[in-house]
Amino acid sequence: MELRSIEAFVRVAELGSITRASRDLGIVQPALSRHIQRIETELGTPLLVRLPRGVQLTLAGRRFLQHSRRILHEVARAAEEMNIGGDGVSGRVVVGISPTLSSLLTPGLIERCASAYPAINLTIVEEFTRRLQVDLVNSQVDLALLTNPPPNRALRFTAVLTEPIVVVMPRLSRGVSPVVTLDELASTPMLVTRGIRALVDEQLASHGVCIEVDCEIDAVEAIRRMLLRGRGASIMPISAFRKEIDEGLLTGLAVGGVNLSRTIMLSHVGDKVSAAAQAVMGLLRAEIDALAQRGIFSALPDPNAAHWATPQRRTLAGVA
């Protein structure tokens, strides 16, 4: 089985059309079709169904596409390793980061990479954890920062960070208690992402409560803008809204009676990681450490501290 035939199959599968793949690869259609037929003959099963307009992968085709992407990824990584000269590190590295971390980590990571490893071609992909796990297994990303990921035998996980999850609301007066009770949490409609909702409900299950959802929005920036406009409440990892909380633009409230938190895992496939990916892993850790030293992931101030002390509490459900 020739590598160029595998490359041709992957391009046809991704574009869903032999015609478009032919133009993209600069190969005439009959030659491209022969590449596909050669693979199908060798495997003994059809990989594509020819439709009036385009092609569709068979079940075997979908399985072979995953293997093909891994093969091409390994070949590219081998080429990168062979092209490294002296102490230089080069190659393409695709990093997946969740939307709740991307805006924090991406600028610093890109600056560090450009300064320390100018020959590395860094690409950032912003997706939620479940999508990133699929991308890792399919070799569409090399590294990913995942939030409390479910077990996966194909992946290696290293915990790099644990941070509290807090209630975030439009700016409130100093007379508001910084602690939300479980009853208040269960009766306050929240703007929340699907991933954080599932994580929080899982941690609240033993307490017999779950959060009430106003709207699921898988866009952290949209939630931020709504809160800044004075609309609703949310429950999110502290780092996602740390800047606005510290600047007094939003109010952060700890949840009493339960330790809500998330753990960020640095993940990749298998034990072998390219030199370029290893370098980027080091840069990721350095950027996370720098943010941690600034208190970005730290808990909110102690509710018993003097400047928080107050006998009054505002009803959360009353926030518009």
Side-chain angles (χ1 to χ4, degrees), residues 76-113:
R77 191 169 72 176
E80 290 170 7
E81 296 278 3
M82 297 302 295
N83 287 331
I84 295 173
D87 294 330
V89 179
S90 65
R92 182 170 184 257
V93 179
V94 182
V95 181
I97 307 178
S98 73
T100 52
L101 281 174
S102 182
S103 62
L104 279 172
L105 287 176
T106 297
L109 177 61
I110 290 175
E111 290 173 0
R112 288 175 185 271
C113 191

PDB file of all heavy atoms in Angstrom, residues 76-113:
ATOM      1  N   ALA A  76       4.741  12.284   9.110  1.00  0.00           N
ATOM      2  CA  ALA A  76       5.107  13.697   9.220  1.00  0.00           C
ATOM      3  C   ALA A  76       5.985  13.933  10.433  1.00  0.00           C
ATOM      4  O   ALA A  76       6.948  14.713  10.387  1.00  0.00           O
ATOM      5  CB  ALA A  76       3.843  14.548   9.298  1.00  0.00           C
ATOM      6  N   ARG A  77       5.665  13.255  11.532  1.00  0.00           N
ATOM      7  CA  ARG A  77       6.457  13.429  12.750  1.00  0.00           C
ATOM      8  C   ARG A  77       7.868  12.878  12.554  1.00  0.00           C
ATOM      9  O   ARG A  77       8.850  13.470  13.008  1.00  0.00           O
ATOM     10  CB  ARG A  77       5.785  12.728  13.928  1.00  0.00           C
ATOM     11  CG  ARG A  77       6.409  13.087  15.263  1.00  0.00           C
ATOM     12  CD  ARG A  77       5.562  12.605  16.419  1.00  0.00           C
ATOM     13  NE  ARG A  77       5.616  11.154  16.556  1.00  0.00           N
ATOM     14  CZ  ARG A  77       5.015  10.489  17.534  1.00  0.00           C
ATOM     15  NH1 ARG A  77       4.298  11.146  18.429  1.00  0.00           N
ATOM     16  NH2 ARG A  77       5.101   9.173  17.612  1.00  0.00           N
ATOM     17  N   ALA A  78       7.995  11.746  11.849  1.00  0.00           N
ATOM     18  CA  ALA A  78       9.309  11.186  11.569  1.00  0.00           C
ATOM     19  C   ALA A  78      10.129  12.142  10.718  1.00  0.00           C
ATOM     20  O   ALA A  78      11.335  12.320  10.940  1.00  0.00           O
ATOM     21  CB  ALA A  78       9.157   9.834  10.858  1.00  0.00           C
ATOM     22  N   ALA A  79       9.475  12.761   9.740  1.00  0.00           N
ATOM     23  CA  ALA A  79      10.180  13.727   8.895  1.00  0.00           C
ATOM     24  C   ALA A  79      10.665  14.918   9.708  1.00  0.00           C
ATOM     25  O   ALA A  79      11.776  15.423   9.505  1.00  0.00           O
ATOM     26  CB  ALA A  79       9.265  14.195   7.759  1.00  0.00           C
ATOM     27  N   GLU A  80       9.828  15.362  10.649  1.00  0.00           N
ATOM     28  CA  GLU A  80      10.220  16.476  11.512  1.00  0.00           C
ATOM     29  C   GLU A  80      11.445  16.107  12.335  1.00  0.00           C
ATOM     30  O   GLU A  80      12.388  16.892  12.469  1.00  0.00           O
ATOM     31  CB  GLU A  80       9.068  16.846  12.443  1.00  0.00           C
ATOM     32  CG  GLU A  80       7.883  17.494  11.744  1.00  0.00           C
ATOM     33  CD  GLU A  80       6.683  17.620  12.661  1.00  0.00           C
ATOM     34  OE1 GLU A  80       6.842  17.324  13.875  1.00  0.00           O
ATOM     35  OE2 GLU A  80       5.602  17.988  12.184  1.00  0.00           O
ATOM     36  N   GLU A  81      11.433  14.888  12.895  1.00  0.00           N
ATOM     37  CA  GLU A  81      12.551  14.440  13.722  1.00  0.00           C
ATOM     38  C   GLU A  81      13.842  14.399  12.901  1.00  0.00           C
ATOM     39  O   GLU A  81      14.908  14.796  13.378  1.00  0.00           O
ATOM     40  CB  GLU A  81      12.267  13.046  14.296  1.00  0.00           C
ATOM     41  CG  GLU A  81      11.086  12.993  15.255  1.00  0.00           C
ATOM     42  CD  GLU A  81      11.457  13.431  16.653  1.00  0.00           C
ATOM     43  OE1 GLU A  81      12.615  13.821  16.864  1.00  0.00           O
ATOM     44  OE2 GLU A  81      10.578  13.382  17.529  1.00  0.00           O
ATOM     45  N   MET A  82      13.760  13.938  11.666  1.00  0.00           N
ATOM     46  CA  MET A  82      14.944  13.822  10.825  1.00  0.00           C
ATOM     47  C   MET A  82      15.461  15.178  10.378  1.00  0.00           C
ATOM     48  O   MET A  82      16.638  15.342  10.074  1.00  0.00           O
ATOM     49  CB  MET A  82      14.630  12.964   9.586  1.00  0.00           C
ATOM     50  CG  MET A  82      14.244  11.535   9.921  1.00  0.00           C
ATOM     51  SD  MET A  82      15.506  10.658  10.868  1.00  0.00           S
ATOM     52  CE  MET A  82      16.833  10.606   9.677  1.00  0.00           C
ATOM     53  N   ASN A  83      14.582  16.177  10.348  1.00  0.00           N
ATOM     54  CA  ASN A  83      14.980  17.512   9.891  1.00  0.00           C
ATOM     55  C   ASN A  83      15.534  18.381  11.002  1.00  0.00           C
ATOM     56  O   ASN A  83      15.949  19.506  10.762  1.00  0.00           O
ATOM     57  CB  ASN A  83      13.785  18.234   9.249  1.00  0.00           C
ATOM     58  CG  ASN A  83      13.459  17.656   7.885  1.00  0.00           C
ATOM     59  OD1 ASN A  83      14.344  17.154   7.187  1.00  0.00           O
ATOM     60  ND2 ASN A  83      12.189  17.716   7.515  1.00  0.00           N
ATOM     61  N   ILE A  84      15.521  17.880  12.241  1.00  0.00           N
ATOM     62  CA  ILE A  84      16.048  18.653  13.355  1.00  0.00           C
ATOM     63  C   ILE A  84      17.564  18.665  13.265  1.00  0.00           C
ATOM     64  O   ILE A  84      18.206  17.631  13.218  1.00  0.00           O
ATOM     65  CB  ILE A  84      15.600  18.064  14.707  1.00  0.00           C
ATOM     66  CG1 ILE A  84      14.077  18.175  14.854  1.00  0.00           C
ATOM     67  CG2 ILE A  84      16.294  18.760  15.866  1.00  0.00           C
ATOM     68  CD1 ILE A  84      13.542  17.477  16.074  1.00  0.00           C
ATOM     69  N   GLY A  85      18.138  19.841  13.260  1.00  0.00           N
ATOM     70  CA  GLY A  85      19.588  19.957  13.179  1.00  0.00           C
ATOM     71  C   GLY A  85      20.146  20.568  14.443  1.00  0.00           C
ATOM     72  O   GLY A  85      19.672  21.597  14.911  1.00  0.00           O
ATOM     73  N   GLY A  86      21.205  19.950  15.032  1.00  0.00           N
ATOM     74  CA  GLY A  86      21.816  20.487  16.242  1.00  0.00           C
ATOM     75  C   GLY A  86      20.812  20.549  17.358  1.00  0.00           C
ATOM     76  O   GLY A  86      20.099  19.601  17.647  1.00  0.00           O
ATOM     77  N   ASP A  87      20.748  21.718  18.015  1.00  0.00           N
ATOM     78  CA  ASP A  87      19.816  21.892  19.123  1.00  0.00           C
ATOM     79  C   ASP A  87      18.486  22.474  18.657  1.00  0.00           C
ATOM     80  O   ASP A  87      17.613  22.766  19.464  1.00  0.00           O
ATOM     81  CB  ASP A  87      20.434  22.824  20.188  1.00  0.00           C
ATOM     82  CG  ASP A  87      21.659  22.197  20.847  1.00  0.00           C
ATOM     83  OD1 ASP A  87      21.686  20.962  20.936  1.00  0.00           O
ATOM     84  OD2 ASP A  87      22.559  22.949  21.246  1.00  0.00           O
ATOM     85  N   GLY A  88      18.340  22.672  17.352  1.00  0.00           N
ATOM     86  CA  GLY A  88      17.111  23.277  16.840  1.00  0.00           C
ATOM     87  C   GLY A  88      15.951  22.312  16.906  1.00  0.00           C
ATOM     88  O   GLY A  88      16.114  21.096  16.773  1.00  0.00           O
ATOM     89  N   VAL A  89      14.763  22.830  17.103  1.00  0.00           N
ATOM     90  CA  VAL A  89      13.545  22.024  17.115  1.00  0.00           C
ATOM     91  C   VAL A  89      12.586  22.643  16.112  1.00  0.00           C
ATOM     92  O   VAL A  89      12.337  23.852  16.148  1.00  0.00           O
ATOM     93  CB  VAL A  89      12.896  21.999  18.514  1.00  0.00           C
ATOM     94  CG1 VAL A  89      11.618  21.174  18.483  1.00  0.00           C
ATOM     95  CG2 VAL A  89      13.867  21.437  19.539  1.00  0.00           C
ATOM     96  N   SER A  90      12.063  21.832  15.221  1.00  0.00           N
ATOM     97  CA  SER A  90      11.159  22.357  14.201  1.00  0.00           C
ATOM     98  C   SER A  90       9.997  21.393  14.005  1.00  0.00           C
ATOM     99  O   SER A  90      10.009  20.274  14.497  1.00  0.00           O
ATOM    100  CB  SER A  90      11.907  22.549  12.878  1.00  0.00           C
ATOM    101  OG  SER A  90      12.340  21.295  12.378  1.00  0.00           O
ATOM    102  N   GLY A  91       9.009  21.858  13.259  1.00  0.00           N
ATOM    103  CA  GLY A  91       7.858  21.020  12.961  1.00  0.00           C
ATOM    104  C   GLY A  91       6.558  21.695  13.331  1.00  0.00           C
ATOM    105  O   GLY A  91       6.540  22.752  13.969  1.00  0.00           O
ATOM    106  N   ARG A  92       5.468  21.069  12.944  1.00  0.00           N
ATOM    107  CA  ARG A  92       4.126  21.604  13.220  1.00  0.00           C
ATOM    108  C   ARG A  92       3.559  20.926  14.454  1.00  0.00           C
ATOM    109  O   ARG A  92       3.616  19.700  14.581  1.00  0.00           O
ATOM    110  CB  ARG A  92       3.212  21.378  12.020  1.00  0.00           C
ATOM    111  CG  ARG A  92       1.794  21.941  12.195  1.00  0.00           C
ATOM    112  CD  ARG A  92       1.045  21.898  10.877  1.00  0.00           C
ATOM    113  NE  ARG A  92      -0.272  22.498  10.977  1.00  0.00           N
ATOM    114  CZ  ARG A  92      -1.414  21.819  11.050  1.00  0.00           C
ATOM    115  NH1 ARG A  92      -1.390  20.501  11.028  1.00  0.00           N
ATOM    116  NH2 ARG A  92      -2.574  22.445  11.140  1.00  0.00           N
ATOM    117  N   VAL A  93       3.000  21.707  15.357  1.00  0.00           N
ATOM    118  CA  VAL A  93       2.364  21.182  16.560  1.00  0.00           C
ATOM    119  C   VAL A  93       0.980  21.806  16.679  1.00  0.00           C
ATOM    120  O   VAL A  93       0.845  23.038  16.693  1.00  0.00           O
ATOM    121  CB  VAL A  93       3.176  21.486  17.833  1.00  0.00           C
ATOM    122  CG1 VAL A  93       2.456  20.928  19.067  1.00  0.00           C
ATOM    123  CG2 VAL A  93       4.581  20.907  17.728  1.00  0.00           C
ATOM    124  N   VAL A  94      -0.041  20.958  16.764  1.00  0.00           N
ATOM    125  CA  VAL A  94      -1.419  21.430  16.922  1.00  0.00           C
ATOM    126  C   VAL A  94      -1.842  21.195  18.371  1.00  0.00           C
ATOM    127  O   VAL A  94      -1.791  20.066  18.863  1.00  0.00           O
ATOM    128  CB  VAL A  94      -2.381  20.697  15.963  1.00  0.00           C
ATOM    129  CG1 VAL A  94      -3.804  21.252  16.105  1.00  0.00           C
ATOM    130  CG2 VAL A  94      -1.897  20.824  14.523  1.00  0.00           C
ATOM    131  N   VAL A  95      -2.227  22.262  19.047  1.00  0.00           N
ATOM    132  CA  VAL A  95      -2.608  22.203  20.458  1.00  0.00           C
ATOM    133  C   VAL A  95      -4.093  22.498  20.603  1.00  0.00           C
ATOM    134  O   VAL A  95      -4.577  23.515  20.110  1.00  0.00           O
ATOM    135  CB  VAL A  95      -1.800  23.210  21.300  1.00  0.00           C
ATOM    136  CG1 VAL A  95      -2.203  23.118  22.769  1.00  0.00           C
ATOM    137  CG2 VAL A  95      -0.301  22.951  21.152  1.00  0.00           C
ATOM    138  N   GLY A  96      -4.817  21.608  21.273  1.00  0.00           N
ATOM    139  CA  GLY A  96      -6.230  21.835  21.543  1.00  0.00           C
ATOM    140  C   GLY A  96      -6.427  22.381  22.954  1.00  0.00           C
ATOM    141  O   GLY A  96      -5.859  21.847  23.906  1.00  0.00           O
ATOM    142  N   ILE A  97      -7.191  23.457  23.068  1.00  0.00           N
ATOM    143  CA  ILE A  97      -7.434  24.100  24.362  1.00  0.00           C
ATOM    144  C   ILE A  97      -8.921  24.396  24.492  1.00  0.00           C
ATOM    145  O   ILE A  97      -9.553  24.854  23.531  1.00  0.00           O
ATOM    146  CB  ILE A  97      -6.628  25.412  24.507  1.00  0.00           C
ATOM    147  CG1 ILE A  97      -5.138  25.178  24.232  1.00  0.00           C
ATOM    148  CG2 ILE A  97      -6.814  26.011  25.901  1.00  0.00           C
ATOM    149  CD1 ILE A  97      -4.290  26.430  24.319  1.00  0.00           C
ATOM    150  N   SER A  98      -9.478  24.161  25.672  1.00  0.00           N
ATOM    151  CA  SER A  98     -10.902  24.426  25.882  1.00  0.00           C
ATOM    152  C   SER A  98     -11.171  25.926  25.876  1.00  0.00           C
ATOM    153  O   SER A  98     -10.291  26.725  26.212  1.00  0.00           O
ATOM    154  CB  SER A  98     -11.366  23.821  27.208  1.00  0.00           C
ATOM    155  OG  SER A  98     -10.857  24.577  28.296  1.00  0.00           O
ATOM    156  N   PRO A  99     -12.384  26.343  25.500  1.00  0.00           N
ATOM    157  CA  PRO A  99     -12.711  27.767  25.442  1.00  0.00           C
ATOM    158  C   PRO A  99     -12.554  28.498  26.774  1.00  0.00           C
ATOM    159  O   PRO A  99     -12.315  29.703  26.781  1.00  0.00           O
ATOM    160  CB  PRO A  99     -14.176  27.771  24.988  1.00  0.00           C
ATOM    161  CG  PRO A  99     -14.337  26.485  24.242  1.00  0.00           C
ATOM    162  CD  PRO A  99     -13.470  25.504  24.972  1.00  0.00           C
ATOM    163  N   THR A 100     -12.680  27.794  27.895  1.00  0.00           N
ATOM    164  CA  THR A 100     -12.534  28.457  29.194  1.00  0.00           C
ATOM    165  C   THR A 100     -11.083  28.751  29.520  1.00  0.00           C
ATOM    166  O   THR A 100     -10.797  29.510  30.452  1.00  0.00           O
ATOM    167  CB  THR A 100     -13.143  27.591  30.320  1.00  0.00           C
ATOM    168  OG1 THR A 100     -12.588  26.272  30.244  1.00  0.00           O
ATOM    169  CG2 THR A 100     -14.658  27.525  30.193  1.00  0.00           C
ATOM    170  N   LEU A 101     -10.143  28.169  28.779  1.00  0.00           N
ATOM    171  CA  LEU A 101      -8.715  28.408  29.015  1.00  0.00           C
ATOM    172  C   LEU A 101      -8.028  29.123  27.858  1.00  0.00           C
ATOM    173  O   LEU A 101      -6.973  29.730  28.040  1.00  0.00           O
ATOM    174  CB  LEU A 101      -7.989  27.081  29.254  1.00  0.00           C
ATOM    175  CG  LEU A 101      -8.091  26.442  30.631  1.00  0.00           C
ATOM    176  CD1 LEU A 101      -7.437  25.068  30.602  1.00  0.00           C
ATOM    177  CD2 LEU A 101      -7.435  27.311  31.694  1.00  0.00           C
ATOM    178  N   SER A 102      -8.605  29.034  26.683  1.00  0.00           N
ATOM    179  CA  SER A 102      -7.912  29.492  25.485  1.00  0.00           C
ATOM    180  C   SER A 102      -7.496  30.959  25.542  1.00  0.00           C
ATOM    181  O   SER A 102      -6.356  31.304  25.230  1.00  0.00           O
ATOM    182  CB  SER A 102      -8.796  29.251  24.256  1.00  0.00           C
ATOM    183  OG  SER A 102      -8.118  29.645  23.079  1.00  0.00           O
ATOM    184  N   SER A 103      -8.414  31.835  25.923  1.00  0.00           N
ATOM    185  CA  SER A 103      -8.080  33.261  25.927  1.00  0.00           C
ATOM    186  C   SER A 103      -6.998  33.590  26.945  1.00  0.00           C
ATOM    187  O   SER A 103      -6.250  34.555  26.787  1.00  0.00           O
ATOM    188  CB  SER A 103      -9.336  34.099  26.209  1.00  0.00           C
ATOM    189  OG  SER A 103      -9.871  33.793  27.488  1.00  0.00           O
ATOM    190  N   LEU A 104      -6.899  32.784  28.006  1.00  0.00           N
ATOM    191  CA  LEU A 104      -5.864  32.991  29.018  1.00  0.00           C
ATOM    192  C   LEU A 104      -4.499  32.503  28.548  1.00  0.00           C
ATOM    193  O   LEU A 104      -3.489  33.185  28.716  1.00  0.00           O
ATOM    194  CB  LEU A 104      -6.229  32.227  30.298  1.00  0.00           C
ATOM    195  CG  LEU A 104      -7.217  32.858  31.266  1.00  0.00           C
ATOM    196  CD1 LEU A 104      -7.565  31.851  32.347  1.00  0.00           C
ATOM    197  CD2 LEU A 104      -6.645  34.114  31.882  1.00  0.00           C
ATOM    198  N   LEU A 105      -4.466  31.310  27.968  1.00  0.00           N
ATOM    199  CA  LEU A 105      -3.204  30.652  27.666  1.00  0.00           C
ATOM    200  C   LEU A 105      -2.625  30.985  26.297  1.00  0.00           C
ATOM    201  O   LEU A 105      -1.405  31.054  26.134  1.00  0.00           O
ATOM    202  CB  LEU A 105      -3.380  29.134  27.757  1.00  0.00           C
ATOM    203  CG  LEU A 105      -3.510  28.529  29.147  1.00  0.00           C
ATOM    204  CD1 LEU A 105      -3.784  27.032  29.040  1.00  0.00           C
ATOM    205  CD2 LEU A 105      -2.234  28.749  29.940  1.00  0.00           C
ATOM    206  N   THR A 106      -3.482  31.175  25.314  1.00  0.00           N
ATOM    207  CA  THR A 106      -3.006  31.284  23.932  1.00  0.00           C
ATOM    208  C   THR A 106      -2.024  32.429  23.699  1.00  0.00           C
ATOM    209  O   THR A 106      -0.963  32.205  23.090  1.00  0.00           O
ATOM    210  CB  THR A 106      -4.200  31.380  22.967  1.00  0.00           C
ATOM    211  OG1 THR A 106      -4.974  30.170  23.049  1.00  0.00           O
ATOM    212  CG2 THR A 106      -3.727  31.565  21.540  1.00  0.00           C
ATOM    213  N   PRO A 107      -2.322  33.663  24.130  1.00  0.00           N
ATOM    214  CA  PRO A 107      -1.361  34.746  23.837  1.00  0.00           C
ATOM    215  C   PRO A 107       0.036  34.478  24.380  1.00  0.00           C
ATOM    216  O   PRO A 107       1.035  34.620  23.663  1.00  0.00           O
ATOM    217  CB  PRO A 107      -2.005  35.968  24.518  1.00  0.00           C
ATOM    218  CG  PRO A 107      -3.459  35.645  24.562  1.00  0.00           C
ATOM    219  CD  PRO A 107      -3.528  34.170  24.814  1.00  0.00           C
ATOM    220  N   GLY A 108       0.132  34.072  25.645  1.00  0.00           N
ATOM    221  CA  GLY A 108       1.429  33.807  26.247  1.00  0.00           C
ATOM    222  C   GLY A 108       2.135  32.626  25.610  1.00  0.00           C
ATOM    223  O   GLY A 108       3.357  32.636  25.417  1.00  0.00           O
ATOM    224  N   LEU A 109       1.368  31.571  25.274  1.00  0.00           N
ATOM    225  CA  LEU A 109       1.957  30.383  24.654  1.00  0.00           C
ATOM    226  C   LEU A 109       2.559  30.727  23.295  1.00  0.00           C
ATOM    227  O   LEU A 109       3.682  30.302  22.972  1.00  0.00           O
ATOM    228  CB  LEU A 109       0.897  29.297  24.504  1.00  0.00           C
ATOM    229  CG  LEU A 109       1.344  28.014  23.798  1.00  0.00           C
ATOM    230  CD1 LEU A 109       2.475  27.335  24.563  1.00  0.00           C
ATOM    231  CD2 LEU A 109       0.164  27.058  23.619  1.00  0.00           C
ATOM    232  N   ILE A 110       1.835  31.497  22.503  1.00  0.00           N
ATOM    233  CA  ILE A 110       2.334  31.878  21.177  1.00  0.00           C
ATOM    234  C   ILE A 110       3.600  32.722  21.309  1.00  0.00           C
ATOM    235  O   ILE A 110       4.588  32.518  20.573  1.00  0.00           O
ATOM    236  CB  ILE A 110       1.247  32.640  20.401  1.00  0.00           C
ATOM    237  CG1 ILE A 110       0.115  31.672  20.012  1.00  0.00           C
ATOM    238  CG2 ILE A 110       1.834  33.292  19.142  1.00  0.00           C
ATOM    239  CD1 ILE A 110      -1.068  32.341  19.351  1.00  0.00           C
ATOM    240  N   GLU A 111       3.612  33.662  22.247  1.00  0.00           N
ATOM    241  CA  GLU A 111       4.796  34.500  22.445  1.00  0.00           C
ATOM    242  C   GLU A 111       5.998  33.669  22.894  1.00  0.00           C
ATOM    243  O   GLU A 111       7.114  33.860  22.395  1.00  0.00           O
ATOM    244  CB  GLU A 111       4.495  35.589  23.466  1.00  0.00           C
ATOM    245  CG  GLU A 111       3.528  36.644  22.963  1.00  0.00           C
ATOM    246  CD  GLU A 111       3.123  37.629  24.051  1.00  0.00           C
ATOM    247  OE1 GLU A 111       3.609  37.477  25.195  1.00  0.00           O
ATOM    248  OE2 GLU A 111       2.330  38.541  23.759  1.00  0.00           O
ATOM    249  N   ARG A 112       5.791  32.754  23.825  1.00  0.00           N
ATOM    250  CA  ARG A 112       6.890  31.904  24.297  1.00  0.00           C
ATOM    251  C   ARG A 112       7.440  31.042  23.170  1.00  0.00           C
ATOM    252  O   ARG A 112       8.661  30.867  23.033  1.00  0.00           O
ATOM    253  CB  ARG A 112       6.397  31.004  25.442  1.00  0.00           C
ATOM    254  CG  ARG A 112       6.145  31.723  26.755  1.00  0.00           C
ATOM    255  CD  ARG A 112       5.548  30.753  27.778  1.00  0.00           C
ATOM    256  NE  ARG A 112       5.178  31.428  29.010  1.00  0.00           N
ATOM    257  CZ  ARG A 112       5.992  31.612  30.046  1.00  0.00           C
ATOM    258  NH1 ARG A 112       7.239  31.145  29.989  1.00  0.00           N
ATOM    259  NH2 ARG A 112       5.584  32.230  31.137  1.00  0.00           N
ATOM    260  N   CYS A 113       6.542  30.476  22.348  1.00  0.00           N
ATOM    261  CA  CYS A 113       6.971  29.604  21.269  1.00  0.00           C
ATOM    262  C   CYS A 113       7.764  30.381  20.215  1.00  0.00           C
ATOM    263  O   CYS A 113       8.810  29.912  19.740  1.00  0.00           O
ATOM    264  CB  CYS A 113       5.759  28.923  20.631  1.00  0.00           C
ATOM    265  SG  CYS A 113       6.183  27.594  19.484  1.00  0.00           S
TER     266      CYS A 113
END
